[in-house]
Amino acid sequence: MGKQTWKAGNMLYPLPAVMVSVRGKNGEDNIITVAWAGTVCTNPPMVSISVRPERYSYQMIKESGAFVINLTTEDLCYATDYCGVRSGRDVDKWKETGLTPEKANVVDVPVIKESPVNIECRVVKVEDMFIADVVAVDVDEAYMDEKDTFHLSMAKPLAYSHGRYYGMGEELGSFGYSVRKAEKKKILIGKTAGKQAGRKAPETGKKTSSGKKNTGNPGGKAGSGARKPRRQ
């Protein structure tokens, strides 16, 4: 099969589906779901979000100069979708979704309590998107272990891909695993086991290459020529 060439468009998937909380100049609060959010810089920490000018939240962000990116989870899938298809002009999204607004630590915009991570942002530039400094990150202690390590995977993060929401699935590896000997060995062993599992074992009663019948007794004693397993 070949590949089709489509007209130019944004097909950078999957993406994090995030809920962005905002506050207008008169103190009105709203939530907008954004799929076009990304990292601009690590040091200093900066992010960007794309919001169309006709959206209700666009003017609110321009007026306040701040917003909060709230990461989403599988449990927040319904609320995430709802906040993306309903306008704050018509409904109170906080009330309709049952989400809980909480006071942020730095910016004057509410964070979503149910979100595992709230990224507080202050706008520094407006182009076709809002570019902002990250001024604080609030994480839910429910996903911290006894060593104070944060595990976002425990929250079951939500991803968006071409019109659909997905869970993240099982872990396939950790950062740098391709060059770590222990994990490379584990992967190679797994591949070898998979190949062996795919081989068809001789049927009971059929003659083997030596002319003897296969007894079908895998638990029988190994002959004198059998090697002892080496310690790994």
Side-chain angles (χ1 to χ4, degrees), residues 184-195:
K184 283 176 72 175
K185 185 176 181 180
K186 182 179 178 181
I187 292 169
L188 289 172
I189 291 173
K191 287 182 178 179
T192 302
K195 287 180 180 179

Side-chain angles (χ1 to χ4, degrees), residues 31-53:
I31 308 169
I32 179 174
T33 298
V34 172
W36 301 114
T39 299
V40 173
C41 186
T42 301
N43 189 19
M46 299 181 71
V47 295
S48 67
I49 59 170
S50 294
V51 181
R52 294 195 302 272

Side-chain angles (χ1 to χ4, degrees), residues 68-113:
V68 177
I69 295 175
N70 303 275
L71 300 192
T72 58
T73 65
E74 291 180 18
D75 288 341
L76 292 173
C77 187
Y78 178 87
T80 301
D81 185 66
Y82 186 90
C83 290
V85 297
R86 289 289 182 265
S87 173
R89 295 187 181 94
D90 307 319
V91 296
D92 181 343
K93 298 183 188 179
W94 295 94
K95 180 180 178 181
E96 294 299 320
T97 59
L99 295 174
T100 309
E102 282 194 335
K103 182 177 174 59
N105 285 302
V106 177
V107 299
D108 187 25
V109 176
V111 304
I112 297 175
K113 179 181 179 181

